[in-house]
Amino acid sequence: MPLDLAAGSAALTRALVDVESVSGGEAPLADAIEAALEGIPHLEVVRDGDAVVARTALGRASRVVIAGHIDTVPVNGNLPGRLDGDVLWGRGTVDMKGGCAVMLALAAELADPAVDVTWVWYDQEEVDSDRNGLGRLVRTRPELLAADFAVLCEPTSAEVEGGCNGTLRVDVTTRGRRAHSARAWMGENAIHAAAPILDRLAAYAPAEVEVDGLVYREGLNAVLISGGVATNVIPDECRVHVNYRFAPSRTGTEALAHVEEVFAGFEVSVADLAEGARPGLDSPLAADFLAAVGGEARPKYGWTDVARFTALGIPAVNYGPGDPSLAHADDEHVSLAEVERCERGLRAWLTRR
Amino acid sequence: MPLDLAAGSAALTRALVDVESVSGGEAPLADAIEAALEGIPHLEVVRDGDAVVARTALGRASRVVIAGHIDTVPVNGNLPGRLDGDVLWGRGTVDMKGGCAVMLALAAELADPAVDVTWVWYDQEEVDSDRNGLGRLVRTRPELLAADFAVLCEPTSAEVEGGCNGTLRVDVTTRGRRAHSARAWMGENAIHAAAPILDRLAAYAPAEVEVDGLVYREGLNAVLISGGVATNVIPDECRVHVNYRFAPSRTGTEALAHVEEVFAGFEVSVADLAEGARPGLDSPLAADFLAAVGGEARPKYGWTDVARFTALGIPAVNYGPGDPSLAHADDEHVSLAEVERCERGLRAWLTRR
């Protein structure tokens, strides 16, 4: 069934939710979005894999990117969506088909926005970073993303969330020597050797760091631990997988140096690193945006693709319908009134002259 | 090829090693042993599963059991056996086909021993305790095992090793609350909560306990650790799997009480418990045995099936060819001179009048 872009963001949210689009399986939804946008005269539409980009070309002084991913985490008996009063339940209602619906409604409606707009619906955000559709566009079609400001419609309960913390994952490893556990004195126990690692984690006091007026809360946590080979063998290795969420005042290199200092004397190896993003609220477009959508800006704790825009030198914020703490939950649900509030907020900004 | 029991324990060791008999696949070797013993007039032969029992019935004042398991841990490119001078390399050379060969040679040879002898070759010692062939005989054919003293021909480098430590395995578990690792303050980290468990293990000073004249070394070790659900989730559970090897002066109940005391304040659940065995060197048959085979008795650290005899009220010792620290190693190897030394030692004892 074709998408009716004139139906408004609430109806569009329902329609998008009911087209299952678990990461890697976005093609039917990307097809529907592309088909719905194709005939609109004020938009130039580009398809790249399962990403769809639609741009105005009105020669405005500024250009903004407004982006959202169309994939979801796996469905778990929570599709099709179920409407209960104002609340739509189901996979993707929060993360982030409400935001994608707002974008679709406004892309179709706003033939004459105050700034040029590049709308981006992209694939594979919920999986390994190297499959991310926005990352692919950054690498292969950077000209499509050129802009002065970016809004990512990730769920923020319709508040403006600036920037994001960076995230670093490392393995902190101890080594020992195997022996039969009946003759433990012939070995060296690598799990026992990990005691100071856990002690330091338990004692660590995470910082709160102010960046461009927003206070970012950090966190340093063991997320996985593993060690041992068999129930009767002294273990020769123990691995503590640590996740450091760091304020965007630090670079990734600085974050790693900090973690290496915390675990001084231990073997530390990097598993994954994503830079944070400063909130970028000092740009005039950001000030306009805040004034138009209203409310107070807050820091974003989770890493989001705003960091990809920051890396391109484009200030970026998160703004979208849905409670972020419900993202990926089997009972995710969104208020359609909140979806419409975001629609109004973005419309007010994009039509402000 | 039938086993030639008159060939001596060295040749028999080679023959037994070359019949692969990983736990659960002992039937061909049990068949060969049963066939070789069947025609011997002074032995009554009983087959039970893949265990073979052969008994003299000479009406002697005492009866001894001499036992060995015929299974091995999995082969890893180390069969068939390879002879290099006096040294036979290959799976099972140490644990424990040398001992089984000594038993076979003497079972055939000794038509008129000084005591009645019950020879037991049994299956599935290297796997879960409830599959153990000797345990099965204890449960279903206890009359076959009645005796005044027992020798288990496990590898001891041809020294007498008395009794064995007990072994207890417990899970020490911490619980927390899941949260996204970007908002760690909304959760409770179960891995961090395990820090005191590792601290106590690292600080623990294992005891040395004298029992019946032998000094047993204890050990308390984490052998496995696991925790965490994903790289971006605060873990809600961490499990430390701890192995306590305890001197045979303690019962299993006392051992558990000790471990619960060490981990006071934590959730402790029992995964496995096997009682130790006192050395039993105060019995006259043990004194005779020591005098006949020579050397000093030592404590056995690893748990062995001697504990099953102890549980039946039968004093038992370990005595067999092979360096126990090579058991299960891919490069296990035995000196055939040591095999023959054990053969002479047991012969001296069994023919001593």
Side-chain angles (χ1 to χ4, degrees), chain B residues 28 40 46 67 69 79 87 144 161 171 190 244 251 290 347:
Chain B
I40 299 178
V46 175
H69 64 85
L79 278 190
V87 176
L144 281 180
E161 292 189 346
D171 281 309
Y244 179 37
T251 64
L290 265 172
R347 183 188 291 110

Side-chain angles (χ1 to χ4, degrees), chain A residues 77-345:
Chain A
N78 49 6
L79 278 190
R82 181 172 58 80
L83 190 65
D84 183 5
D86 165 60
V87 176
L88 182 63
W89 298 71
R91 174 63 72 228
T93 50
V94 166
D95 192 8
M96 54 173 283
K97 291 186 173 175
C100 289
V102 168
M103 291 166 55
L104 275 173
L106 292 175
E109 172 191 323
L110 300 180
D112 185 33
V115 290
D116 271 313
V117 186
T118 304
W119 306 94
V120 182
W121 295 266
Y122 62 96
D123 54 306
Q124 305 197 83
E125 193 268 352
E126 299 290 7
V127 286
D128 281 355
S129 179
D130 56 359
R131 290 169 56 188
N132 185 294
L134 187 61
R136 184 180 68 244
L137 291 172
V138 167
R139 284 192 306 274
T140 62
R141 308 289 302 267
E143 74 285 358
L144 281 180
L145 300 177
D148 304 293
F149 189 67
V151 177
L152 205 60
C153 295
E154 286 275 359
T156 62
S157 298
E159 304 288 342
V160 178
E161 292 189 345
C164 69
N165 273 335
T167 176
L168 167 66
R169 286 188 287 111
V170 299
D171 281 310
V172 188
T173 305
T174 57
R175 315 245 174 224
R177 202 172 61 246
R178 290 189 196 188
H180 196 289
S181 66
R183 288 177 291 278
W185 55 90
M186 299 183 71
E188 276 175 57
N189 194 312
I191 295 177
H192 297 191
I197 299 173
L198 300 195
D199 286 334
R200 292 181 204 179
L201 283 165
Y204 184 87
E208 301 196 354
V209 184
E210 186 173 326
V211 185
D212 300 349
L214 299 185
V215 176
Y216 288 82
R217 252 176 118 160
E218 297 198 334
L220 182 71
N221 277 277
V223 286
L224 299 170
I225 190 168
S226 62
V229 285
T231 56
N232 62 352
V233 176
I234 299 302
D236 60 349
E237 186 179 299
C238 180
R239 206 140 47 97
V240 187
H241 196 71
V242 173
N243 185 202
Y244 179 37
R245 300 283 176 151
F246 55 97
S249 53
R250 290 198 204 257
T251 65
T253 307
E254 289 164 349
L256 177 57
H258 177 66
V259 166
E260 286 175 335
E261 194 183 314
V262 169
F263 297 112
F266 289 96
E267 181 182 330
V268 174
S269 60
V270 175
D272 188 55
L273 172 62
E275 301 280 347
R278 297 183 72 98
L281 296 176
D282 42 2
S283 85
L285 279 162
D288 274 3
F289 180 72
L290 264 171
V293 306
E296 283 272 305
R298 301 184 305 195
K300 183 78 176 173
Y301 294 121
W303 192 90
T304 78
D305 277 335
V306 293
R308 298 185 193 274
F309 290 109
T310 304
L312 292 173
I314 306 172
V317 298
N318 300 282
Y319 174 73
D323 175 349
S325 71
L326 294 176
H328 303 189
D330 288 342
D331 64 344
E332 64 176 305
H333 55 276
V334 71
S335 151
L336 294 179
E338 192 171 300
V339 173
E340 289 171 335
R341 180 144 56 93
C342 286
E343 179 186 336
R344 287 194 299 275

Side-chain angles (χ1 to χ4, degrees), chain B:
Chain B
M1 196 169 61
L3 296 171
D4 174 9
L5 302 191
S9 57
L12 270 169
T13 300
R14 295 190 65 178
L16 295 187
V17 164
D18 287 347
V19 183
E20 184 178 316
S21 59
V22 176
S23 311
E26 298 95 333
L29 183 53
D31 291 346
I33 291 171
E34 184 184 11
L37 294 167
E38 270 296 355
I40 299 178
H42 64 273
L43 293 176
E44 171 201 345
V45 178
V46 175
R47 172 81 174 248
D48 182 280
D50 286 330
V52 180
V53 179
R55 295 151 45 98
T56 63
L58 305 165
R60 300 287 190 255
S62 307
R63 173 176 291 278
V64 300
V65 171
I66 302 178
H69 64 85
I70 61 171
D71 61 321
T72 70
V73 296
V75 177
N76 189 10
N78 50 6
L79 278 190
R82 181 172 58 79
L83 191 65
D84 184 6
D86 165 59
V87 176
L88 181 64
W89 298 72
R91 175 62 72 230
T93 50
V94 166
D95 192 7
M96 52 172 285
K97 291 186 172 174
C100 289
V102 168
M103 291 165 57
L104 275 173
L106 293 176
E109 173 192 323
L110 300 179
D112 185 34
V115 289
D116 270 312
V117 186
T118 303
W119 305 93
V120 181
W121 295 265
Y122 63 97
D123 54 308
Q124 305 198 84
E125 192 269 352
E126 298 290 6
V127 287
D128 280 356
S129 178
D130 56 359
R131 290 169 56 188
N132 184 293
L134 188 62
R136 185 182 68 244
L137 292 172
V138 168
R139 284 193 304 277
T140 62
R141 308 287 302 266
E143 74 286 358
L144 281 180
L145 300 176
D148 304 294
F149 190 68
V151 177
L152 205 61
C153 295
E154 287 275 0
T156 62
S157 298
E159 304 288 341
V160 178
E161 292 189 346
C164 69
N165 273 334
T167 176
L168 167 66
R169 286 188 289 111
V170 299
D171 281 309
V172 188
T173 305
T174 57
R175 316 251 173 216
R177 201 171 62 247
R178 290 189 195 187
H180 197 289
S181 66
R183 288 177 291 277
W185 55 90
M186 299 182 70
E188 275 175 57
N189 195 312
I191 295 177
H192 297 190
I197 298 172
L198 300 196
D199 286 334
R200 292 180 203 178
L201 283 165
Y204 185 86
E208 302 196 352
V209 184
E210 186 173 325
V211 185
D212 299 350
L214 300 184
V215 176
Y216 288 82
R217 252 175 118 160
E218 296 198 335
L220 182 71
N221 277 276
V223 287
L224 300 170
I225 190 168
S226 62
V229 285
T231 57
N232 62 352
V233 176
I234 300 301
D236 60 349
E237 186 178 300
C238 181
R239 205 140 48 95
V240 188
H241 196 71
V242 173
N243 185 203
Y244 179 37
R245 300 284 176 151
F246 56 96
S249 53
R250 289 199 205 258
T251 64
T253 307
E254 288 164 349
L256 176 58
H258 176 65
V259 166
E260 286 174 335
E261 194 184 314
V262 170
F263 298 111
F266 290 95
E267 182 183 328
V268 173
S269 60
V270 174
D272 188 57
L273 172 62
E275 301 280 347
R278 299 183 70 99
L281 296 175
D282 42 2
S283 84
L285 278 162
D288 273 4
F289 180 72
L290 265 172
V293 305
E296 282 273 304
R298 301 184 306 196
K300 183 78 176 173
Y301 294 121
W303 192 91
T304 77
D305 277 334
V306 293
R308 297 186 194 274
F309 290 110
T310 304
L312 292 174
I314 305 172
V317 298
N318 300 282
Y319 174 74
D323 176 349
S325 72
L326 294 176
H328 303 192
D330 288 343
D331 64 345
E332 65 176 303
H333 55 276
V334 71
S335 151
L336 294 179
E338 191 171 301
V339 173
E340 289 171 336
R341 181 143 57 93
C342 285
E343 179 186 336
R344 286 193 300 275
L346 280 180
R347 183 188 291 110
W349 177 50
L350 294 173
T351 57
R352 185 183 168 97
R353 281 191 163 89

